[in-house]
Amino acid sequence: MNNNLDTKEIFDSLDNISKLGKAIAHPKRLQLLILLLDERRDFSTLLDKTNLKKTALSKHLSKLMTNHLVVKHERGVYNITTDGEELLKALTTVYKDSKSRDELKRKTLRKRYSNVRVINMEKTENIVSREPKLQRAWISYLGAVLGVLQSLGKEKDIDRVSVGGYSGYAFALPNVSKGNTCPSGPTALAVWPDIVKATGNLGFRVHEFVDYGGYPEPDELTDKDRIRAKNLFKLIKTAIDNDKPVV
């Protein structure tokens, strides 16, 4: 594998590379580099920005200066060096593309949505009489509808092919509707309302909830998005509380 790295130079410089890594192996020293990346700052300003004590700040700055990542000018003004700037940029690039960043993001989301505080509320448990059955399928809608039907005791009367035929989904292949194509399939095209309506041919009344909003990133959520989500969960909860299956 050709990785364009000069391995000989790396082996010859292991000690120096290790020292450089140790120089930035502290959150406060990284913070100092970021602060100095914007502009030159004096000791008192850095003291205020980092909330460090004078002795601790002096040690961190000394570590960075020893490794030529920060330089001290007259009157106690500090500035990031070219080496410090390039190292910080390289670290940022590596972190953006790293698996650890993705894992940290997933952990943050799990923590955000799993640690829910319930205050002055009595915990209740609703039991759905018809246990859902997972159906593996390439087409999620057909698999979900089949799972609902089987939970209703129709496993002997109907299969995935029948669901596709009765709902009309099978006839939307290859996901083309009046000249339009979309990787999302019929769910994104004008034929979708007809498929939902035709699903009723399976012998059950189908109620459809439609929301034309998008799906923003967690960090971009607005109050309007949160209200939409709460309303949707309320609809789902109401249906489940009334012992009705939800797709």
Side-chain angles (χ1 to χ4, degrees), residues 166-182:
Y166 279 108
S167 67
Y169 202 114
F171 304 104
L173 297 177
N175 296 341
V176 177
S177 176
K178 296 182 180 180
N180 296 321
T181 59
C182 178

Side-chain angles (χ1 to χ4, degrees), residues 20-37:
L20 192 60
K22 291 179 181 179
I24 58 173
H26 194 287
K28 286 297 182 182
R29 289 198 283 273
L30 284 175
Q31 183 185 10
L32 286 169
L33 289 177
I34 295 171
L35 289 171
L36 295 174
L37 186 64

Side-chain angles (χ1 to χ4, degrees), residues 101-116:
R101 174 180 178 270
D102 293 336
E103 179 61 25
L104 178 61
K105 186 175 182 180
R106 286 193 291 269
K107 287 182 179 179
T108 301
L109 291 176
R110 284 197 295 268
K111 183 177 180 181
R112 179 185 301 174
Y113 295 112
S114 62
N115 295 340
V116 180

Side-chain angles (χ1 to χ4, degrees), residues 36-217:
L36 295 174
L37 186 64
D38 295 332
E39 59 179 298
R40 296 183 178 185
R41 300 179 189 269
D42 58 25
F43 189 87
S44 60
T45 301
L46 293 174
L47 202 64
D48 180 63
K49 293 287 185 180
T50 59
N51 293 321
L52 287 169
K53 294 183 178 180
K54 291 182 179 180
T55 303
L57 178 58
S58 295
K59 289 182 178 179
H60 285 310
L61 287 171
S62 177
K63 189 82 171 180
L64 292 172
M65 288 188 292
T66 300
N67 289 275
H68 310 290
L69 301 177
V70 169
V71 62
K72 182 180 179 181
H73 297 283
E74 296 180 358
R75 299 179 182 178
V77 176
Y78 296 86
N79 187 34
I80 190 171
T81 64
T82 301
D83 287 348
E85 184 175 346
E86 292 299 323
L87 180 59
L88 191 59
K89 289 180 180 179
L91 282 173
T92 303
T93 300
V94 171
Y95 181 67
K96 282 183 177 180
D97 298 332
S98 69
K99 292 182 179 180
S100 60
R101 174 180 178 270
D102 293 336
E103 179 61 25
L104 178 61
K105 186 175 182 180
R106 286 193 291 269
K107 287 182 179 179
T108 301
L109 291 176
R110 284 197 295 268
K111 183 177 180 181
R112 179 185 301 174
Y113 295 112
S114 62
N115 295 340
V116 180
R117 296 180 61 191
V118 180
I119 303 175
N120 296 328
M121 292 181 64
E122 182 180 353
K123 182 179 179 181
T124 59
E125 183 178 7
N126 293 312
I127 304 298
V128 179
S129 62
R130 295 178 288 268
E131 181 181 357
K133 298 182 179 180
L134 175 65
Q135 300 296 318
R136 301 184 184 278
W138 280 104
I139 302 175
S140 58
Y141 180 72
L142 298 187
V145 171
L146 180 60
V148 166
L149 292 173
Q150 291 193 347
S151 73
L152 295 172
K154 299 294 182 179
E155 60 267 18
K156 295 182 180 180
D157 302 330
I158 198 164
D159 57 15
R160 190 178 297 107
V161 175
S162 299
V163 174
Y166 279 108
S167 67
Y169 202 114
F171 304 104
L173 297 177
N175 296 341
V176 177
S177 176
K178 296 182 180 180
N180 296 321
T181 59
C182 178
S184 298
T187 56
L189 302 176
V191 71
W192 176 245
D194 295 327
I195 292 177
V196 174
K197 183 178 180 180
T199 303
N201 292 329
L202 294 165
F204 295 88
R205 185 175 61 181
V206 179
H207 174 73
E208 180 186 18
F209 173 78
V210 180
D211 188 341
Y212 294 102
Y215 300 92
E217 291 294 327

